[in-house]
Each structure stands twice: as structure tokens, then as C-alpha cells.
Amino acid sequence: MAENNIISIKNLNKYFVQDESELQVLNNINLDIRQGEFISIVGASGCGKSTLLRIIGGLENYSDGQVLNKGNPIKGPSKNIGMAFQESRLFPWLTIFENVAFGISEGKKLSKEEKSELVHKYLKLVGLEEFVNAYPNQLSGGMQQRVSIARALIENPDVLLLDEPFGALDAMTRVNMQNEISRIWQHERKTMILVTHDIDEAIYLGDKILVFSNRPGQILEVIDVNLPRPRRRNSGYFERLRKYIYGKFFTEEEIKEEYNI
Amino acid sequence: MIKKKIRSFVRSKSWLGIILPVGLILIWQLASNLELINASLLPSPARIWRSLVKQAESGKLAVNILVSLRRVLVGYALGASLGIVIGIITGLSKTATKIVSVLFELIRPIPIIAWVPVLILWTGIGETSKIIVIMIGTFWTVYLNTSDGIRNVDRKYVEVSKIFLKSKKIEITKVMFPAALPGIFTGLRVGVGSAWISVIGAELIAASAGLGFMISYYREMAQPSTMFAGVLVVGVIGFLINVILRRVEKRVLKWNTVK
Ligand SMILES: Nc1ncnc2c1ncn2[C@@H]1O[C@H](COP(=O)(O)OP(=O)(O)OP(=O)(O)O)[C@@H](O)[C@H]1O
Ligand SMILES: [Mg+2]
């Protein structure tokens, strides 16, 4: 029933050429993602998470295997798949309004009013309506990330790729942003794929968590998160899951140390 | 409003820059009064000022300024446009860079002034030769800065354009060009300096009007104070052009100021 999967990856391998030698980054990835699912990806630095996301986004080609969007091979960026990068990547020379409007497809002929309405709708979604006329450097890092998410959502893609979008934020802002993403996901019913280093974040948001091995990245385990939403970060199940995933990366002692801090 | 401006001027310490020129003029005047300086080699500031006022009153000064400014304006506009267009093309295409590389590297080291006799030979002593000299003077700085600016645009921005499926036209005009604009502006600002140097240089060698002509004419007429008045005006106008361009740059690149 591969056709029911919005993203379907089969036997994907990816090599980069570095210093004239081949570096395998992804190793035999097999993955099916259903419409509306929230997928979290965790894994050590350099294991190929961003590369996988960039392949799904059509920004990177792949060495062998299949990557399908609704059954069609992904050959380049597409309107169905939006992306928010690790750094917000807003254009500093455009206002917030213009940055979000940049996400509107070029072929779409909108009147000024329609365009303005659309941009306002998505800025409202991320809670930044008052900042339409500001420039990115007048916003905080977290606000910039929200703008970048609004820009990625404005063409209403089926899939939203999030590459460590909150990596650079402090713990407080991060939690707020997670709540925001959770709200947007429930509101818009998009398929979301989130790469993160933060195991709590992965559990809090994901229907499924993919645990990656070190490079060459391989899916070690797919964990189903059977927690009702909205989730509580201090429930017993949450704790056990957190400990379990930590165990995938660290030995027992390291975990104890982590908890003692 | 004016009070506020004065206060911010005082606080910004910009006034510190005025001390040296004013002090120098005072010492110069004093030395002239004491006849420590040979007035036929370097007239006193007061003497130069009187000649300047005389030139201004006769209307000759305005004519010379306007003639020079007009040449600069035309030559600069042409040279800068050409620099931006060719800079964008070579910035985007490695092939284009390779095609022009040898030719450009051969021509570029030729000093602007060396072009003047050549161009007079080709186009005569009229306006064309001067405008082309200014064009060449402007072209190089604008071209090099534009080309570098476009080439060094952060790939991350270009990727954003790709992920939103933008056409090449939007990618260049809305992403790469603005991203390169700070560099391009540096080229434009330095370029206007070379344009001004070029016009005076060209006029010194062969012209019947303009500030460069004024300087060389009054040297021949053995009127050093008027000659120095010309030098002074050249300096002041060059200074003002730079100030104006900085203002424009600040306004256009408002987004580029770090928070
Ligand atoms: N364009 C490229 N050319 C060559 N090697 C690359 C390229 N992009 C990534 N790599 C290599 O691929 C590996 C995986 O990179 P990737 O960015 O996917 O890691 P990641 O899992 O996202 O890491 P992090 O968590 O630190 O962001 C790294 O070893 C990196 O050096
Ligand atoms: Mg990454």
C-alpha cells in the first residue's frame, strides 16, 4: 500500500565525495511516512540527518535507491514539500511581510489584497502579526524561526521539513516553540518531519521517533510514541521513553551523570 | 530639531576631525603673515580665498564646476552601469569570467591617465575622450566589487530560492543582487572617487573648461592663488560626493546595519 504513504523511501544510499574519496553518509534507509504523521529524527552529529531531509526536500541528489512523494520520484524541490532550515535563512533585505510573501509561488497571480491577507493569515498562525513591517535583524532568533516557518507554510505544502529549527534557541523559547509547532501541526494537519538533537523535543512532538546510527546513518529503531496530546513532559511514560532513547546513545553511567546535574 | 542635531554632532565626536584642517590653515596663514612661505609657491589661505571669491563672482567658477560635474555624471553613470552588468555576468558564470580574464588583467593595470593621450588620438579633444576616461576609471572598481559580491553570495540564500521554485530571474534580481548590494555599493563609492580623479586628470592634460583646466590654466598664467583655489574646490567637491554617497548607501542598505 505504498500509495497511501506521502513519503516512501526504499534502499536509499548516499555518498559524498570528500578529498577524492567516497564518504558514505546514508546507509540503506527504508522509511514510509503516512499523511499527517509527525516524525522525529534523532541521531549523533554528522550521521546524515540533514542530508536525508535535504534529499526529501529535493535539494540533494542521491546515489541509489528510491525516494517517492505520493508515489512519484523526488527529483528536485516541489510545491508539496516545504522546508524550514536550521538557521532561519530569512532575507535581511526584505521586511517580514516580504519574506513570508517570498514563499508564495511565482505563478500565482494574486491581487495586493489577497496577498496581504494570505501573509497576515500565516503571520497570525505563528503569532507575529504586529511585525509585518519589521526587518529580520529587528527580531529575536525565535521570532525569526517562526517567520521562516510561516514562509514554509504559506504555499500550503503537504509535508513540512524542519531541520533543527530550534537548535540555536534557549530552553525557554525552545519549549514555547515546541508548543507552537504542536499547535500548528494539530491545526493544519500537515505531515511534519523534524530533525532534532533534543530527545525531549522528539518525544514531545513525534508520533514516531527514528533513531539513527552514527555515520553512515542507518535507522536503528523506529519508536512509536503512544502518548495522548497535549503531552505532559513529566509523565512516567515520557520519563521511561527518554531514558530508553538516551540508552541508545550513552552507557548507563553517562545517563546517571546527566541526571545528577 | 537643529539643537538635537548639534548635540548629537558634539557627542559623536565628529567635530574632532575638524581640528586638524582648521589648525593647519591657521598655522599656514600665520607662516604666510610672517613671510616664512614664498607666496609665489604657496599663497596664503586668505589670498586663495579672495581669488576663489573673485572666480565665483565672475561666474567662471560655477561654469568650471558644472562642466566637470557633468562629465563625471555621464562617465560615472555609463561606467558604473557597465561595471554592474558585466560584474553580474562574470559573477554568475565561471565561463564568462574565464573568457574575459586575460584581456581584463592586461588592461586593468594601465593607469587611467595613460588613456588620455590615446583617447585624444582616437576621439579628439572633445567631450568623448573625457567621458570615456571617466568610464574606464569607474568601471574597474564597480566591476570588481560587483563580480566578487555576486560570486560570494551565501549559497544558503540561493537554496531558499530553489526550495520555493523561483525562476532564475527572481533568483538573480530578488536574491543574488540584493545580497551582493553591500559589495556593489563599496564599488560605487570607491568608483566615484576614481571618476573624480579621472576627470581632473583628463582636464589637466587637455581641456578648455572644467576644474582641471582651471588649475592648469592659472598655473600657466602664473596666478598660483587661483590655481590653488581650483585645487581646493576639487578637494571639497570630492569630499561632498563621498558624503552624499554614504548617505544614499546608508538609506538603501538600512537592513545591513547590525542590530
Ligand atoms: N555537500 C557535502 N559534501 C561533502 N560532504 C558532505 C556534504 N554535506 C554533508 N557532508 C557530510 O555528510 C555527513 C552528514 O552530514 P549531515 O549534515 O547530514 O549531518 P547531520 O546528521 O545533519 O549532523 P548535525 O546533527 O551535526 O547537523 C557529514 O560527515 C558531512 O561532512
Ligand atoms: Mg544537520
Side-chain angles (χ1 to χ4, degrees):
Chain A
M1 293 283 280
E3 291 71 36
N4 287 346
N5 295 316
I6 190 148
I7 299 286
S8 180
I9 300 175
K10 293 193 184 75
N11 309 322
L12 170 71
N13 289 298
K14 169 74 185 172
Y15 299 84
F16 278 117
V17 178
Q18 254 183 25
D19 297 329
E20 291 173 22
S21 67
E22 283 207 327
L23 178 79
Q24 186 171 15
V25 175
L26 292 172
N27 180 12
N28 194 31
I29 302 289
N30 285 284
L31 177 62
D32 286 318
I33 299 171
R34 285 197 310 275
Q35 169 77 46
E37 257 185 326
F38 199 117
I39 306 288
S40 302
I41 301 178
V42 295
S45 179
C47 74
K49 306 178 298 291
S50 294
T51 306
L52 177 62
L53 228 55
R54 290 167 56 79
I55 288 174
I56 298 172
L59 288 173
E60 200 87 63
N61 55 14
Y62 39 100
S63 311
D64 55 278
Q66 263 189 327
V67 184
L68 307 175
N69 169 220
K70 289 184 179 161
N72 304 312
I74 293 174
K75 289 189 187 118
S78 117
K79 256 167 84 169
N80 300 332
I81 302 176
M83 184 154 182
F85 297 90
Q86 182 159 0
E87 336 78 32
S88 68
R89 296 203 191 179
L90 299 179
F91 299 125
W93 51 89
L94 298 181
T95 62
I96 298 309
F97 181 96
E98 294 162 334
N99 265 293
V100 174
F102 191 86
I104 299 172
S105 132
E106 218 177 310
K108 214 181 227 174
K109 291 280 166 274
L110 294 180
S111 71
K112 237 183 170 162
E113 290 74 32
E114 288 168 323
K115 191 170 158 187
S116 164
E117 203 176 309
L118 198 61
V119 171
H120 276 92
K121 178 180 156 196
Y122 281 91
L123 276 177
K124 195 171 171 189
L125 186 72
V126 296
L128 288 173
E129 243 190 325
E130 312 129 76
F131 292 91
V132 270
N133 294 319
Y135 282 89
N137 66 6
Q138 297 171 311
L139 265 56
S140 74
M143 288 154 91
Q144 292 179 22
Q145 281 300 356
R146 275 141 71 191
V147 176
S148 132
I149 289 167
R151 177 175 71 179
L153 285 171
I154 199 164
E155 260 301 314
N156 202 20
D158 303 326
V159 181
L160 181 63
L161 308 173
L162 299 159
D163 190 358
E164 292 184 49
F166 321 132
L169 305 182
D170 64 279
M172 301 270 273
T173 318
R174 192 180 254 265
V175 168
N176 284 333
M177 293 291 291
Q178 290 163 5
N179 294 338
E180 198 119 10
I181 280 291
S182 177
R183 184 178 59 74
I184 293 170
W185 177 71
Q186 291 184 7
H187 186 261
E188 303 273 309
R189 283 286 147 195
K190 301 237 170 283
T191 309
M192 292 195 181
I193 309 177
L194 169 82
V195 166
T196 177
H197 278 137
D198 181 341
I199 290 173
D200 279 34
E201 183 169 292
I203 304 170
Y204 183 70
L205 291 169
D207 292 320
K208 276 183 187 164
I209 301 172
L210 310 184
V211 182
F212 265 59
S213 73
N214 286 346
R215 194 184 59 234
Q218 207 172 352
I219 300 177
L220 281 184
E221 189 167 350
V222 180
I223 300 169
D224 288 299
V225 184
N226 295 310
L227 272 173
R229 292 171 198 262
R231 291 174 172 167
R232 285 186 304 125
R233 294 166 198 265
N234 52 5
S235 71
Y237 182 89
F238 203 111
E239 287 281 343
R240 282 196 299 282
L241 204 52
R242 176 194 288 140
K243 222 167 182 169
Y244 178 75
I245 297 172
Y246 266 106
K248 297 269 155 202
F249 296 105
F250 306 105
T251 62
E252 277 302 314
E253 264 143 71
E254 283 169 318
I255 298 173
K256 274 202 194 110
E257 264 171 46
E258 181 92 16
Y259 277 89
N260 286 341
I261 295 169
Chain B
M1 185 62 198
I2 288 172
K3 236 183 186 173
K4 220 173 173 182
K5 276 209 164 143
I6 292 173
R7 202 174 311 150
S8 84
F9 177 74
V10 171
R11 210 172 300 146
S12 71
K13 300 198 174 163
S14 302
W15 56 273
L16 285 174
I18 298 171
I19 296 176
L20 271 180
V22 170
L24 208 66
I25 290 172
L26 286 177
I27 293 170
W28 176 2
Q29 183 65 47
L30 202 70
S32 305
N33 289 351
L34 297 172
E35 290 182 19
L36 295 171
I37 302 175
N38 181 350
S40 61
L41 293 182
L42 182 58
S44 76
R47 182 81 196 76
I48 293 173
W49 179 253
R50 277 199 297 279
S51 302
L52 184 67
V53 171
K54 219 163 108 192
Q55 284 284 314
E57 278 170 355
S58 71
K60 283 189 208 151
L61 183 65
V63 170
N64 284 327
I65 289 176
L66 286 177
V67 166
S68 293
L69 278 181
R70 201 192 77 91
R71 287 171 181 156
V72 165
L73 215 68
V74 177
Y76 178 71
L78 291 172
S81 317
L82 202 66
I84 288 176
V85 170
I86 298 183
I88 288 177
I89 294 170
T90 55
L92 290 171
S93 152
K94 283 204 179 96
T95 316
T97 311
K98 294 235 167 80
I99 289 173
V100 300
S101 62
V102 174
L103 180 69
F104 277 17
E105 289 318 305
L106 280 174
I107 300 176
R108 197 160 61 88
I110 301 173
I112 296 163
I113 295 306
W115 284 105
V116 178
V118 177
L119 286 164
I120 289 173
L121 180 70
W122 288 347
T123 66
I125 189 173
E127 290 302 285
T128 318
S129 61
K130 270 144 221 122
I131 286 170
I132 295 177
V133 167
I134 298 160
M135 252 180 84
I136 297 172
T138 310
F139 173 79
W140 291 117
T141 48
V142 176
Y143 160 73
L144 287 173
N145 280 284
T146 305
S147 185
D148 274 357
I150 294 281
R151 205 170 297 126
N152 295 328
V153 168
D154 196 336
R155 299 305 302 166
K156 288 177 174 172
Y157 289 137
V158 181
E159 251 181 29
V160 172
S161 170
K162 297 238 185 295
I163 199 112
F164 289 110
L165 301 153
K166 297 296 174 182
S167 61
K168 201 78 194 162
K169 184 181 140 217
I170 295 282
E171 183 177 307
I172 292 169
T173 57
K174 291 280 168 65
V175 179
M176 303 193 77
F177 184 75
L181 207 53
I184 294 175
F185 249 101
T186 306
L188 286 174
R189 202 153 35 72
V190 180
V192 82
S194 2
W196 191 237
I197 292 168
S198 316
V199 73
I200 304 303
E203 288 172 352
L204 278 170
I205 294 175
S208 52
L211 288 168
F213 160 76
M214 175 177 163
I215 294 168
S216 71
Y217 178 78
Y218 287 101
R219 186 188 58 80
E220 280 166 31
M221 293 292 112
Q223 291 185 32
S225 63
T226 314
M227 178 187 104
F228 274 104
V231 174
L232 186 75
V233 172
V234 168
V236 169
I237 291 178
F239 174 82
L240 290 179
I241 291 176
N242 199 29
V243 168
I244 292 169
L245 236 84
R246 267 186 199 280
R247 285 266 162 104
V248 174
E249 181 175 356
K250 221 171 168 180
R251 182 156 301 180
V252 176
L253 298 181
K254 196 167 60 199
W255 55 268
N256 200 32
T257 47
V258 185
K259 191 167 57 166

